Every structure is written in structure tokens, then in C-alpha cells.
Amino acid sequence: MAAPGSGRRGLLAALVRVALRLLLRLLPTRRIAVVYGNPSTEGNAVEVVRGLLDRYRGQVVWLADGPQSQQPIMYAQLPADTDTSRLRVVAHSDRRGVWFFLTAELVLFTHGIYLSPGGTRRKTHVNLWHGDGPKAIDAGAVTTYARSSLLVSGTRLWGQDKARHFAITPDRLLLTGNPRVDQFARPATDAELTALHLDPQAPLALWMPTYRQASAAGTDLWSDSDALLHSEAFRRDARQLVAMCRELGVTLRVKPHPLDVDAYQAAGLEVLHQRELDARGIGLYRLLARCAVLITDYSSVWSDFVALDRPVLFYCPDLDTYAQRRTFNVPDLAAVVPGKVHRELAGSDRNLMADLIPREAVDSCALRHRSVERVGAVTELGATDRLLDAIDDRQNASVPPPPAA
């Protein structure tokens, strides 16, 4: 894969970025805050919009990522007394969105925005990013250019890693926690679980594997490892896990990444797709707040889930392959994660799930707490307020722009 930004296309992007930086300096600064998530309903973006409407006195512009997301406000579950007259939802592709971006005093984004030219002394740009975890951020398929005034992180370890990647000095790294963890304080209701065909009275085990092969709109994007369903061992493990959960009266659902090409139902698993959450305006982290246990692998989701202080089961059947092809930013994955790493489940101890639900084993709890200390995870809710407080402090102190590329 060619390096991002290489060749003629990279040169054009660089020229446009220079032009945008010039416009940011020349155009007036207005009392506007622009928020852009990819997708627009990404948890960090949703919670920042909620926070801004609560305490920011200027106009809030929420950039939507497509026609299907023109009204993402349903996700925010705004209190009844919220003044929404200051909120505008504008398509990211709309020229008005570019104008708001160029003149806003505050811009917050998750994956980059309009080539991310960076902020100025009068215009603060904040890189919320979209998680903290062991996957190497320098991999070719990952966005490698997102200049900003400030960078947000939920862990000390990976905050420092991201800061190195994005050329952010330590004083501009905000270790506030990811805003989306605040959804844990608003868990999905019994009615919402029922609408998702989940039993509100049964413990929920949510399996969130990272994608190995990604696809969007029928186009293959990249591959970090072989698809799990290509492995008969994975199918055996899936059957074993289903049996364990059934025996304990636990509801098991797989929540794949929206880009994942694996069809987990082919392995006999019940799947909960993102579109089902979207149809009901249920934020993913609100659903996670109802989980008794999380099952995952290399995804960043666990670094947020630890704020709930609940067990995590790590199932990594392709650990060696994934480590070689995608690579990690830590030398030993098992040494930092908050749970035991299992390469296979078939034939494993029948007490595997029973040690997590309904009462977690003491050694599992201790392992999680050690992990929280090792990665420096922020486990307190209220991350959005901490972030906005930090932005206020730095704007009042006139944060200098990032160094020139």
C-alpha cells in the first residue's frame, strides 16, 4: 500500500491544506463551535454536542456525514429544557460546513476534518480521536495526518503514543477521558433492550471483535488479518461460547464493527448490527452500560469499558498473525489488558464464563485493576466536562498553534 499522501494526490492535498491554514488566519473568528464525528453519531461527538449545548453560549454546528445522518440529534438524548435554537445540523459536504469550520473559534473532530490544517491562536482545534488501544496507529490504513491545537486521550500510555504520532507536545495532551464514557451514566432502558430483542432481566455478554478485513459500499478497504470465519477453529470456539452462555442463562450478542466483512451469524452467533442501534437512536456506550461482561480482542473499546469495573474476556485466535500484519504499540499485549488472553475456547475450562458471571473471580478483578494502573486509564465519568474545562483554561491562556509541518 502506498503511503498516505504520496504522489500527485498528496501534493494537491498539501497545497489545499496550506490554503486552508492561510484562510484560517485571515478570516474572522466567530462565536461558533463545530463538531464532526465519523460517523457523525460517534460517541465522542455526541457527548461533546451535549456538553456544548449545556454550557457554551455560542452557536453549535454539528456536521453530519451524509443524508442519512441529517438528524443525529436523537442520539444526544437532550434534557427537555435544552436550548436547541443554537444548534445547527449541516452536512459535512455542504459548503456552509466549510465556512463554519474556517470561522469557528472551536472545532472538535474524531478522524480529521477538511484535511485538518490545524488551529491558530484565535481558533482552537481539538482532536478527539476515536479510542485508545494497542493497535499501532502508524499502520498504513490509519489516518496519519490530523493536526490540532489539542489532543484528547482516555489513557496515559496511549495518550503519549498518540501525542508522538500527531506531534503534540505534552502540555497540549488532555488526559480527560473519552467523552463517550459519559453515556455509561445513561444506560439503555429496559424498553430499549426489549426493542433490540434483548431480555432486560438476563445478563448480557457483548462480543465486540475488531475487524480483520474492512469493506464499505462494496469496496474492500484493507486487511489486517484473515477473516475469522475462514477458520474452523473459530467456528468451534463460537459454538463453545454459545453453549457456555446458554448454560448460565446469559444473553450473548456479537456487535461487529460497521466495516467488518465477517458474517458472524454463519458461525451460529446472534448478531446485533449498528443499523439496529441507529434505527432507535441508542448510543453504543449506553448499551455497553447494560453489559455484565465484554468480550473483545484488539479493539480500543475495553480501555473505556474499564470505567464500569466489570470483567473483560479477551479472545484472540489470530494473535500472532495480527501482531505481525497490523502490529501493536506495546511489546506484550497480555501484560497490559484487563483480562486473560485466550487463543482458543473449545475444550477450555467450563468455568471460564462462570468465573466472570454472575460473580467475578478475585484474580480476574485484580488483573483488571493492575491493567488500569499500567495503562493509566481514566475511570471517572464526567469526561466531557473535564474536556470543556481544559479547553476553556487553554483558550483563556491563548494556546499557541501547533508547530508548522
Side-chain angles (χ1 to χ4, degrees):
M1 177 182 295
S6 61
R8 185 180 305 173
R9 184 176 179 182
L11 177 60
L12 177 60
L15 293 175
V16 172
R17 191 177 292 114
V18 169
L20 290 173
R21 286 186 61 79
L22 181 61
L23 288 172
L24 282 168
R25 284 168 167 74
L26 295 178
L27 291 175
T29 302
R30 299 190 293 167
R31 195 152 180 73
I32 295 174
V34 171
V35 181
Y36 177 57
N38 187 4
S40 52
T41 52
E42 198 276 339
N44 283 336
V46 170
E47 295 308 301
V48 164
V49 168
R50 278 178 57 94
L52 288 170
L53 288 176
D54 179 54
R55 49 186 287 178
Y56 180 69
R57 300 278 69 87
Q59 185 177 43
V60 179
V61 177
W62 196 347
L63 295 183
D65 57 356
Q68 73 278 12
S69 298
Q70 288 302 299
Q71 295 300 327
I73 195 62
M74 60 190 293
Y75 268 81
Q77 290 191 314
L78 297 172
D81 59 350
T82 301
D83 177 13
T84 57
S85 64
R86 295 180 293 106
L87 174 66
R88 294 189 64 175
V89 180
V90 179
H92 175 262
S93 58
D94 192 316
R95 283 179 294 180
R96 292 176 301 167
V98 179
W99 174 248
F100 285 129
F101 165 76
L102 290 172
T103 57
E105 67 171 344
L106 178 61
V107 175
L108 305 103
F109 59 87
T110 65
H111 289 68
I113 177 173
Y114 301 131
L115 296 177
S116 301
T120 69
R121 288 188 179 276
R122 294 175 295 116
K123 299 172 181 176
T124 302
H125 288 197
V126 183
N127 184 355
L128 299 170
W129 204 231
H130 47 95
D132 297 76
K135 292 191 290 188
I137 202 171
D138 287 319
V142 178
T143 300
T144 59
Y145 202 98
R147 288 170 56 80
S148 63
S149 314
L150 303 168
L151 173 66
V152 177
S153 182
T155 63
R156 180 186 64 255
L157 173 64
W158 288 305
Q160 293 170 347
D161 182 68
K162 289 189 296 186
R164 286 191 295 270
H165 177 79
F166 291 118
I168 289 289
T169 55
D171 60 303
R172 294 192 287 124
L173 173 64
L174 307 182
L175 189 58
T176 59
N178 289 308
R180 60 192 180 197
V181 301
D182 290 345
Q183 291 186 9
F184 291 156
R186 308 191 309 277
T189 65
D190 286 358
E192 288 174 322
L193 292 186
T194 301
L196 294 171
H197 307 290
L198 301 172
D199 181 358
Q201 305 307 316
L204 174 61
L206 198 62
W207 187 352
M208 294 184 61
T210 194
Y211 52 82
R212 272 72 176 169
Q213 297 180 1
S215 177
T219 302
D220 292 337
L221 299 179
W222 61 78
S223 174
D224 292 330
S225 183
D226 296 329
L228 289 176
L229 285 171
H230 291 171
S231 167
E232 178 57 33
F234 169 77
R235 294 172 183 267
R236 288 196 305 269
D237 287 343
R239 291 192 293 268
Q240 175 82 350
L241 189 58
V242 168
M244 288 179 179
C245 289
R246 184 181 297 119
E247 185 175 324
L248 292 169
V250 173
T251 298
L252 174 65
R253 290 291 186 275
V254 177
K255 167 56 181 72
H257 190 282
L259 298 179
D260 202 337
V261 302
D262 263 324
Y264 295 94
Q265 57 269 25
L269 296 161
E270 294 191 61
V271 180
L272 179 62
H273 291 287
Q274 184 64 43
R275 60 178 177 269
E276 298 176 70
L277 298 176
D278 291 342
R280 296 166 178 83
I282 303 173
L284 173 60
Y285 276 48
R286 294 187 57 237
L287 178 63
L288 277 170
R290 294 296 300 266
C291 287
V293 61
L294 171 68
I295 306 170
T296 188
D297 42 38
Y298 323 116
S299 170
S300 65
V301 66
W302 69 261
S303 66
D304 291 328
F305 189 76
V306 293
L308 292 170
D309 197 20
R310 298 176 193 168
V312 185
L313 171 65
F314 286 87
Y315 173 55
C316 308
D318 56 349
L319 179 58
D320 294 334
T321 301
Y322 198 92
Q324 181 179 14
R325 289 170 59 173
R326 174 59 192 264
T327 72
F328 296 126
N329 52 33
V330 290
D332 183 3
L333 180 71
V336 298
V337 297
K340 295 180 180 178
V341 175
H342 299 268
R343 294 179 182 242
E344 62 179 9
L345 300 178
S348 61
D349 187 350
R350 299 290 296 180
N351 293 324
L352 177 63
M353 288 298 292
D355 283 344
L356 304 178
I357 303 175
R359 177 172 294 182
E360 184 182 11
V362 173
D363 61 338
S364 173
C365 186
L367 183 60
R368 179 171 64 259
H369 293 165
R370 287 197 297 271
S371 170
V372 167
E373 292 180 2
R374 286 171 180 167
V375 304
V378 179
T379 57
E380 299 81 14
L381 304 188
T384 307
D385 275 335
R386 288 194 296 273
L387 169 60
L388 296 181
D389 285 343
I391 292 173
D392 285 344
D393 291 344
R394 284 158 174 75
Q395 283 185 321
N396 292 336
S398 184
V399 177

Short mmCIF file of all heavy atoms in Angstrom, two decimals, residues 142-185:
data_model
loop_
_atom_site.label_atom_id
_atom_site.label_comp_id
_atom_site.label_asym_id
_atom_site.label_seq_id
_atom_site.Cartn_x
_atom_site.Cartn_y
_atom_site.Cartn_z
N VAL A 142 -4.46 3.57 8.57
CA VAL A 142 -5.00 4.50 9.56
C VAL A 142 -4.67 5.94 9.15
O VAL A 142 -3.61 6.22 8.62
CB VAL A 142 -4.38 4.21 10.95
CG1 VAL A 142 -4.89 5.22 11.98
CG2 VAL A 142 -4.73 2.81 11.38
N THR A 143 -5.61 6.84 9.37
CA THR A 143 -5.38 8.25 9.07
C THR A 143 -4.11 8.71 9.78
O THR A 143 -3.97 8.53 10.98
CB THR A 143 -6.56 9.10 9.55
OG1 THR A 143 -7.74 8.66 8.88
CG2 THR A 143 -6.34 10.57 9.25
N THR A 144 -3.21 9.29 9.03
CA THR A 144 -1.91 9.65 9.62
C THR A 144 -1.68 11.16 9.65
O THR A 144 -0.57 11.59 9.91
CB THR A 144 -0.76 8.99 8.82
OG1 THR A 144 -0.84 9.42 7.47
CG2 THR A 144 -0.85 7.49 8.90
N TYR A 145 -2.71 11.93 9.37
CA TYR A 145 -2.49 13.37 9.39
C TYR A 145 -3.74 14.04 9.95
O TYR A 145 -4.76 14.11 9.28
CB TYR A 145 -2.20 13.91 7.99
CG TYR A 145 -1.48 15.24 8.02
CD1 TYR A 145 -0.12 15.30 7.87
CD2 TYR A 145 -2.18 16.42 8.21
CE1 TYR A 145 0.55 16.52 7.90
CE2 TYR A 145 -1.53 17.63 8.25
CZ TYR A 145 -0.16 17.68 8.09
OH TYR A 145 0.49 18.88 8.12
N ALA A 146 -3.67 14.51 11.17
CA ALA A 146 -4.79 15.19 11.81
C ALA A 146 -4.24 16.24 12.76
O ALA A 146 -4.20 16.06 13.96
CB ALA A 146 -5.69 14.20 12.54
N ARG A 147 -3.80 17.37 12.20
CA ARG A 147 -3.20 18.43 13.00
C ARG A 147 -4.26 19.07 13.89
O ARG A 147 -5.42 19.20 13.51
CB ARG A 147 -2.58 19.50 12.10
CG ARG A 147 -1.30 19.03 11.42
CD ARG A 147 -0.85 20.03 10.37
NE ARG A 147 -0.67 21.37 10.91
CZ ARG A 147 0.40 21.78 11.58
NH1 ARG A 147 1.38 20.93 11.80
NH2 ARG A 147 0.51 23.02 12.01
N SER A 148 -3.84 19.48 15.08
CA SER A 148 -4.78 20.10 16.00
C SER A 148 -4.02 20.93 17.03
O SER A 148 -2.80 20.82 17.16
CB SER A 148 -5.61 19.03 16.71
OG SER A 148 -4.79 18.19 17.50
N SER A 149 -4.77 21.74 17.76
CA SER A 149 -4.19 22.50 18.86
C SER A 149 -4.05 21.63 20.10
O SER A 149 -3.08 21.75 20.86
CB SER A 149 -5.08 23.71 19.20
OG SER A 149 -5.48 24.41 18.06
N LEU A 150 -5.05 20.75 20.31
CA LEU A 150 -5.11 19.91 21.49
C LEU A 150 -5.50 18.49 21.10
O LEU A 150 -6.15 18.28 20.07
CB LEU A 150 -6.13 20.46 22.50
CG LEU A 150 -5.92 21.90 22.98
CD1 LEU A 150 -7.16 22.40 23.73
CD2 LEU A 150 -4.68 21.99 23.86
N LEU A 151 -5.10 17.52 21.92
CA LEU A 151 -5.39 16.11 21.66
C LEU A 151 -5.98 15.49 22.93
O LEU A 151 -5.47 15.72 24.03
CB LEU A 151 -4.10 15.37 21.26
CG LEU A 151 -4.18 13.85 21.11
CD1 LEU A 151 -5.07 13.48 19.93
CD2 LEU A 151 -2.77 13.27 20.93
N VAL A 152 -7.05 14.71 22.77
CA VAL A 152 -7.74 14.10 23.90
C VAL A 152 -7.38 12.63 24.01
O VAL A 152 -7.20 11.93 23.01
CB VAL A 152 -9.27 14.24 23.73
CG1 VAL A 152 -10.02 13.54 24.85
CG2 VAL A 152 -9.66 15.71 23.66
N SER A 153 -7.27 12.14 25.25
CA SER A 153 -6.99 10.71 25.47
C SER A 153 -7.68 10.23 26.74
O SER A 153 -7.97 11.01 27.64
CB SER A 153 -5.48 10.48 25.57
OG SER A 153 -5.22 9.09 25.73
N GLY A 154 -7.93 8.91 26.76
CA GLY A 154 -8.52 8.29 27.93
C GLY A 154 -7.53 7.47 28.73
O GLY A 154 -7.87 6.93 29.78
N THR A 155 -6.28 7.35 28.23
CA THR A 155 -5.24 6.61 28.94
C THR A 155 -3.92 7.35 28.82
O THR A 155 -3.63 7.97 27.80
CB THR A 155 -5.05 5.19 28.37
OG1 THR A 155 -4.60 5.28 27.01
CG2 THR A 155 -6.32 4.37 28.45
N ARG A 156 -3.12 7.26 29.87
CA ARG A 156 -1.80 7.89 29.84
C ARG A 156 -0.89 7.23 28.80
O ARG A 156 -0.23 7.92 28.01
CB ARG A 156 -1.16 7.80 31.23
CG ARG A 156 0.24 8.44 31.32
CD ARG A 156 0.88 8.19 32.66
NE ARG A 156 1.12 6.75 32.90
CZ ARG A 156 0.42 5.98 33.70
NH1 ARG A 156 -0.60 6.49 34.39
NH2 ARG A 156 0.70 4.70 33.85
N LEU A 157 -0.88 5.90 28.78
CA LEU A 157 0.00 5.15 27.89
C LEU A 157 -0.26 5.50 26.42
O LEU A 157 0.65 5.88 25.68
CB LEU A 157 -0.17 3.65 28.12
CG LEU A 157 0.57 2.72 27.15
CD1 LEU A 157 2.08 2.90 27.29
CD2 LEU A 157 0.18 1.27 27.40
N TRP A 158 -1.52 5.36 26.00
CA TRP A 158 -1.82 5.58 24.59
C TRP A 158 -2.02 7.05 24.27
O TRP A 158 -1.93 7.43 23.10
CB TRP A 158 -3.00 4.71 24.19
CG TRP A 158 -2.56 3.28 24.13
CD1 TRP A 158 -1.52 2.77 23.40
CD2 TRP A 158 -3.10 2.18 24.86
NE1 TRP A 158 -1.38 1.42 23.63
CE2 TRP A 158 -2.33 1.03 24.51
CE3 TRP A 158 -4.14 2.04 25.77
CZ2 TRP A 158 -2.60 -0.23 25.05
CZ3 TRP A 158 -4.40 0.79 26.30
CH2 TRP A 158 -3.63 -0.34 25.94
N GLY A 159 -2.25 7.87 25.27
CA GLY A 159 -2.25 9.30 25.02
C GLY A 159 -0.86 9.76 24.61
O GLY A 159 -0.70 10.54 23.66
N GLN A 160 0.15 9.26 25.30
CA GLN A 160 1.52 9.62 24.95
C GLN A 160 1.89 9.09 23.57
O GLN A 160 2.60 9.76 22.80
CB GLN A 160 2.47 9.06 26.01
CG GLN A 160 2.30 9.72 27.37
CD GLN A 160 3.07 9.02 28.48
OE1 GLN A 160 3.56 7.90 28.31
NE2 GLN A 160 3.17 9.66 29.63
N ASP A 161 1.39 7.89 23.23
CA ASP A 161 1.67 7.32 21.92
C ASP A 161 1.03 8.16 20.82
O ASP A 161 1.66 8.45 19.80
CB ASP A 161 1.14 5.88 21.86
CG ASP A 161 1.45 5.20 20.54
OD1 ASP A 161 2.65 4.95 20.27
OD2 ASP A 161 0.52 4.92 19.78
N LYS A 162 -0.23 8.57 21.04
CA LYS A 162 -0.91 9.41 20.05
C LYS A 162 -0.23 10.77 19.93
O LYS A 162 -0.12 11.34 18.83
CB LYS A 162 -2.38 9.59 20.43
CG LYS A 162 -3.22 8.34 20.26
CD LYS A 162 -4.71 8.63 20.43
CE LYS A 162 -5.05 9.09 21.83
NZ LYS A 162 -6.52 9.23 22.02
N ALA A 163 0.21 11.30 21.06
CA ALA A 163 0.88 12.61 21.03
C ALA A 163 2.13 12.57 20.17
O ALA A 163 2.40 13.49 19.39
CB ALA A 163 1.21 13.05 22.45
N ARG A 164 2.90 11.48 20.30
CA ARG A 164 4.10 11.34 19.45
C ARG A 164 3.70 11.28 17.98
O ARG A 164 4.35 11.89 17.12
CB ARG A 164 4.88 10.09 19.85
CG ARG A 164 5.63 10.19 21.16
CD ARG A 164 6.57 9.02 21.34
NE ARG A 164 5.84 7.76 21.47
CZ ARG A 164 5.43 7.24 22.61
NH1 ARG A 164 5.64 7.91 23.74
NH2 ARG A 164 4.79 6.09 22.65
N HIS A 165 2.64 10.54 17.70
CA HIS A 165 2.22 10.36 16.31
C HIS A 165 1.76 11.67 15.69
O HIS A 165 2.09 11.98 14.55
CB HIS A 165 1.11 9.32 16.24
CG HIS A 165 0.58 9.12 14.86
ND1 HIS A 165 1.22 8.37 13.91
CD2 HIS A 165 -0.54 9.60 14.27
CE1 HIS A 165 0.52 8.39 12.80
NE2 HIS A 165 -0.54 9.13 12.98
N PHE A 166 0.98 12.45 16.46
CA PHE A 166 0.41 13.67 15.92
C PHE A 166 1.24 14.91 16.23
O PHE A 166 0.77 16.04 16.03
CB PHE A 166 -1.01 13.86 16.47
CG PHE A 166 -2.00 12.86 15.95
CD1 PHE A 166 -2.64 11.99 16.82
CD2 PHE A 166 -2.29 12.77 14.60
CE1 PHE A 166 -3.55 11.05 16.36
CE2 PHE A 166 -3.19 11.84 14.13
CZ PHE A 166 -3.83 10.98 15.01
N ALA A 167 2.47 14.69 16.72
CA ALA A 167 3.38 15.80 17.02
C ALA A 167 2.76 16.80 17.99
O ALA A 167 2.80 18.03 17.80
CB ALA A 167 3.80 16.51 15.73
N ILE A 168 2.16 16.27 19.05
CA ILE A 168 1.54 17.09 20.09
C ILE A 168 2.47 17.12 21.30
O ILE A 168 2.90 16.08 21.79
CB ILE A 168 0.18 16.50 20.50
CG1 ILE A 168 -0.84 16.70 19.39
CG2 ILE A 168 -0.33 17.11 21.80
CD1 ILE A 168 -1.29 18.12 19.18
N THR A 169 2.79 18.31 21.79
CA THR A 169 3.64 18.43 22.97
C THR A 169 2.86 18.02 24.22
O THR A 169 1.63 18.11 24.24
CB THR A 169 4.15 19.87 23.11
OG1 THR A 169 3.02 20.77 23.14
CG2 THR A 169 5.06 20.24 21.94
N PRO A 170 3.54 17.56 25.26
CA PRO A 170 2.86 17.07 26.46
C PRO A 170 1.86 18.06 27.06
O PRO A 170 0.81 17.65 27.58
CB PRO A 170 4.01 16.80 27.43
CG PRO A 170 5.17 16.49 26.56
CD PRO A 170 5.01 17.39 25.36
N ASP A 171 2.13 19.35 26.97
CA ASP A 171 1.22 20.33 27.56
C ASP A 171 -0.07 20.48 26.77
O ASP A 171 -1.03 21.09 27.25
CB ASP A 171 1.91 21.70 27.67
CG ASP A 171 2.35 22.23 26.32
OD1 ASP A 171 3.12 21.53 25.62
OD2 ASP A 171 1.94 23.34 25.95
N ARG A 172 -0.12 19.92 25.56
CA ARG A 172 -1.34 20.01 24.75
C ARG A 172 -2.08 18.68 24.67
O ARG A 172 -3.03 18.53 23.92
CB ARG A 172 -0.99 20.51 23.33
CG ARG A 172 -0.47 21.94 23.33
CD ARG A 172 -0.38 22.53 21.95
NE ARG A 172 0.71 21.97 21.16
CZ ARG A 172 0.55 21.40 19.97
NH1 ARG A 172 -0.64 21.30 19.44
NH2 ARG A 172 1.58 20.92 19.32
N LEU A 173 -1.64 17.72 25.47
CA LEU A 173 -2.34 16.44 25.59
C LEU A 173 -3.29 16.52 26.78
O LEU A 173 -2.87 16.79 27.91
CB LEU A 173 -1.33 15.30 25.80
CG LEU A 173 -1.92 13.93 26.11
CD1 LEU A 173 -2.74 13.41 24.93
CD2 LEU A 173 -0.81 12.94 26.46
N LEU A 174 -4.57 16.29 26.54
CA LEU A 174 -5.60 16.39 27.58
C LEU A 174 -6.01 14.99 28.02
O LEU A 174 -6.75 14.30 27.32
CB LEU A 174 -6.82 17.16 27.06
CG LEU A 174 -6.55 18.53 26.44
CD1 LEU A 174 -7.85 19.20 26.02
CD2 LEU A 174 -5.77 19.42 27.41
N LEU A 175 -5.54 14.58 29.18
CA LEU A 175 -5.87 13.26 29.71
C LEU A 175 -7.16 13.39 30.54
O LEU A 175 -7.15 13.32 31.76
CB LEU A 175 -4.71 12.74 30.57
CG LEU A 175 -4.80 11.28 31.02
CD1 LEU A 175 -4.89 10.35 29.83
CD2 LEU A 175 -3.59 10.92 31.89
N THR A 176 -8.25 13.58 29.82
CA THR A 176 -9.55 13.82 30.46
C THR A 176 -10.46 12.60 30.44
O THR A 176 -11.48 12.58 31.13
CB THR A 176 -10.28 14.96 29.74
OG1 THR A 176 -10.46 14.60 28.36
CG2 THR A 176 -9.49 16.25 29.81
N GLY A 177 -10.12 11.60 29.64
CA GLY A 177 -11.05 10.51 29.36
C GLY A 177 -11.81 10.81 28.09
O GLY A 177 -11.98 11.99 27.72
N ASN A 178 -12.25 9.78 27.39
CA ASN A 178 -13.04 9.99 26.18
C ASN A 178 -14.45 10.41 26.55
O ASN A 178 -15.10 9.76 27.37
CB ASN A 178 -13.07 8.71 25.34
CG ASN A 178 -11.73 8.40 24.71
OD1 ASN A 178 -11.15 9.26 24.05
ND2 ASN A 178 -11.23 7.19 24.90
N PRO A 179 -14.96 11.48 25.96
CA PRO A 179 -16.30 11.96 26.32
C PRO A 179 -17.39 10.89 26.25
O PRO A 179 -18.35 10.92 27.02
CB PRO A 179 -16.55 13.08 25.30
CG PRO A 179 -15.19 13.60 24.98
CD PRO A 179 -14.30 12.38 24.98
N ARG A 180 -17.26 9.92 25.36
CA ARG A 180 -18.32 8.92 25.18
C ARG A 180 -18.56 8.07 26.43
O ARG A 180 -19.63 7.47 26.56
CB ARG A 180 -17.99 8.02 23.99
CG ARG A 180 -16.70 7.24 24.12
CD ARG A 180 -16.33 6.61 22.80
NE ARG A 180 -15.08 5.84 22.89
CZ ARG A 180 -14.38 5.47 21.82
NH1 ARG A 180 -14.79 5.80 20.61
NH2 ARG A 180 -13.28 4.77 21.95
N VAL A 181 -17.60 8.00 27.34
CA VAL A 181 -17.83 7.21 28.56
C VAL A 181 -18.96 7.80 29.40
O VAL A 181 -19.53 7.10 30.23
CB VAL A 181 -16.55 7.08 29.42
CG1 VAL A 181 -15.43 6.43 28.64
CG2 VAL A 181 -16.12 8.42 29.99
N ASP A 182 -19.31 9.06 29.16
CA ASP A 182 -20.40 9.65 29.93
C ASP A 182 -21.74 9.00 29.61
O ASP A 182 -22.70 9.15 30.37
CB ASP A 182 -20.46 11.17 29.67
CG ASP A 182 -19.28 11.90 30.30
OD1 ASP A 182 -18.59 11.30 31.15
OD2 ASP A 182 -19.03 13.06 29.94
N GLN A 183 -21.80 8.27 28.49
CA GLN A 183 -23.03 7.53 28.19
C GLN A 183 -23.26 6.40 29.19
O GLN A 183 -24.39 5.91 29.33
CB GLN A 183 -22.98 6.96 26.77
CG GLN A 183 -23.05 8.03 25.69
CD GLN A 183 -23.14 7.46 24.29
OE1 GLN A 183 -23.34 6.26 24.10
NE2 GLN A 183 -23.02 8.32 23.29
N PHE A 184 -22.21 5.99 29.90
CA PHE A 184 -22.38 4.95 30.92
C PHE A 184 -23.34 5.42 32.02
O PHE A 184 -23.95 4.59 32.71
CB PHE A 184 -21.03 4.58 31.54
CG PHE A 184 -20.10 3.86 30.60
CD1 PHE A 184 -18.73 3.90 30.80
CD2 PHE A 184 -20.59 3.13 29.54
CE1 PHE A 184 -17.86 3.22 29.95
CE2 PHE A 184 -19.73 2.45 28.67
CZ PHE A 184 -18.37 2.50 28.89
N ALA A 185 -23.45 6.73 32.19
CA ALA A 185 -24.35 7.26 33.21
C ALA A 185 -25.80 7.29 32.74
O ALA A 185 -26.70 7.58 33.53
CB ALA A 185 -23.91 8.67 33.61
#
